[in-house]
Amino acid sequence: QPQLVESGGGSVQSGGSLRLSCAISGWKPGSYAMAWFRQTPAWDRWGVAVLSSDGNTRYGEHAKGRFTISKDSSGDTLYLYLQMTNLTTDDTSTYTCAIRSAATTSLNSRDFRYWGQGTQVTVSS
């Protein structure tokens, strides 16, 4: 069972930037897709961005042009990043990373089996 651990959340003023990180250990070699989701009381799990093992990406509408998803690896650990710029108060949420064993760009939370615990992002005006 892979383990996903997020970091990098925090408090920032509107217009600021944050970089979220997710370390994924215990993942078996093969195709995959890693994604960031956000949770709000109204939207449940809403897809922010996804990156597949073959390099394809997809962004949610609110993330396009402001957020960039990227990945790296070191040994047996995968790393997923989300560079967030020009943040607004609407971006305040808990951001969670997830991984699935298929190289697709689905942003449907039901397609992802393994999840982290989340990291809080708070944007103040």
Side-chain angles (χ1 to χ4, degrees):
Q1 178 117 352
Q3 290 190 330
L4 294 79
V5 179
E6 301 95 338
S7 61
S11 297
V12 64
Q13 288 192 324
S14 184
S17 301
L18 280 175
R19 188 190 193 211
L20 305 183
S21 300
C22 176
I24 304 169
S25 58
W27 183 255
K28 297 179 180 179
S31 298
Y32 60 83
M34 300 185 287
W36 288 99
F37 290 84
R38 57 177 285 179
Q39 289 183 283
T40 68
W43 294 338
D44 195 13
R45 277 175 171 167
W46 173 77
V48 178
V50 59
L51 173 59
S52 66
S53 53
D54 54 5
N56 292 315
T57 61
R58 182 181 177 189
Y59 293 89
E61 286 300 316
H62 287 77
K64 289 180 181 178
R66 299 188 300 129
F67 296 177
T68 302
I69 191 170
S70 61
K71 62 181 176 72
D72 200 352
S73 63
S74 178
D76 296 331
T77 301
L78 298 173
Y79 295 93
L80 181 68
Y81 304 103
L82 185 69
Q83 180 67 49
M84 309 165 68
T85 63
N86 196 21
L87 287 161
T88 72
T89 56
D90 288 341
D91 295 314
T92 295
S93 187
T94 299
Y95 287 76
T96 307
C97 63
I99 190 168
R100 63 174 297 195
S101 57
T104 71
T105 55
S106 167
L107 276 174
N108 187 334
S109 62
R110 295 184 180 89
D111 292 333
F112 289 81
R113 180 176 181 182
Y114 302 104
W115 295 81
Q117 293 299 308
T119 185
Q120 179 65 35
V121 171
T122 302
V123 184
S124 59
S125 59

